[in-house]
């Protein structure tokens, strides 16, 4: 989990929200976020049951002044998932392969092709939307600004 930017007043609320999902106390090492002066960033590596990433993203989704990403790696029998959130764009959800690539289901690809053909929509723009390109572009300066930040591991109970 990467909280790319959070106002100081929200930092303890983020910890409480994540703790409420994972079932153990959470204390993040917050650092300044140079990409958005006056905000803070933190990282948390976690292990838990499949689907926990969605629950964490849902718990954080209510605060419109956060920028965050929650990623769940693929495991045998379960696809991975990534949730990205920015105040300007809202939430983006993607299925992630074992190698970390966004996977777009066939039905969504067919729909994008149909929209492009029927509504004079640019297919490349539709594919960018399906892969979350605009979220990546907005979050990239925040990711880069976090190089060298401390990381903490968390193991969920149960």
């Amino acid at each position: 989990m990467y909280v790319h930017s959070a106002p100081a007043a929200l930092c303890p609320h983020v910890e409480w929200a994540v703790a409420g999902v994972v079932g153990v106390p959470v204390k993040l090492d917050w650092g300044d976020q140079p990409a958005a002066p006056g905000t803070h960033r933190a990282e948390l590596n976690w292990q838990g049951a499949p689907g926990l990433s969605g629950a964490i993203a849902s718990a954080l989704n209510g605060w419109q002044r956060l920028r965050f990403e929650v990623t769940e790696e693929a495991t045998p029998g379960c696809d991975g998932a990534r949730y990205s959130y920015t105040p300007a764009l809202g939430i983006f959800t993607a299925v992630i392969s074992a190698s970390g690539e966004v996977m777009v289901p066939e039905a969504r690809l067919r729909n994008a092709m149909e929209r492009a053909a029927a509504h004079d929509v640019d297919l490349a723009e539709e594919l960018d939307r399906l892969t979350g390109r605009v979220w990546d572009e907005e979050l990239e300066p925040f990711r880069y600004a976090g190089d060298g930040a401390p990381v903490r591991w968390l193991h969920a109970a149960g």
Side-chain angles (χ1 to χ4, degrees):
M1 175 184 85
Y2 300 93
V3 178
H4 293 296
S5 70
L10 283 183
C11 294
H13 296 280
V14 169
E15 293 174 353
W16 297 330
V18 174
V21 172
V22 299
V24 296
V26 173
K27 177 68 176 132
L28 300 174
D29 293 324
W30 294 96
D32 292 337
Q33 174 50 276
T39 66
H40 304 281
R41 67 170 326 281
E43 297 178 21
L44 176 69
N45 289 316
W46 53 274
Q47 293 178 343
L52 192 61
S53 61
I56 292 170
S58 292
L60 299 178
N61 192 30
W63 294 304
Q64 297 176 359
R65 298 184 61 207
L66 292 179
R67 285 179 184 84
F68 68 84
E69 291 179 278
V70 182
T71 302
E72 182 174 311
E73 294 182 15
T75 57
C78 294
D79 291 327
R82 183 176 74 210
Y83 301 85
S84 303
Y85 180 86
T86 74
L89 299 171
I91 196 144
F92 171 76
T93 305
V95 175
I96 302 297
S97 71
S99 62
E101 295 180 337
V102 171
M103 300 187 48
V104 180
E106 179 182 347
R108 293 185 75 189
L109 288 172
R110 289 186 186 283
N111 182 267
M113 291 186 304
E114 290 171 6
R115 283 179 37 87
H119 302 291
D120 196 31
V121 175
D122 183 56
L123 182 58
E125 288 179 18
E126 283 293 297
L127 295 176
D128 283 346
R129 183 181 60 79
L130 289 174
T131 59
R133 181 175 178 173
V134 293
W135 279 265
D136 285 338
E137 288 173 351
E138 186 169 326
L139 290 172
E140 193 60 27
F142 295 89
R143 294 173 182 146
Y144 180 75
D147 284 350
V151 177
R152 173 168 288 186
W153 275 92
L154 177 71
H155 298 272

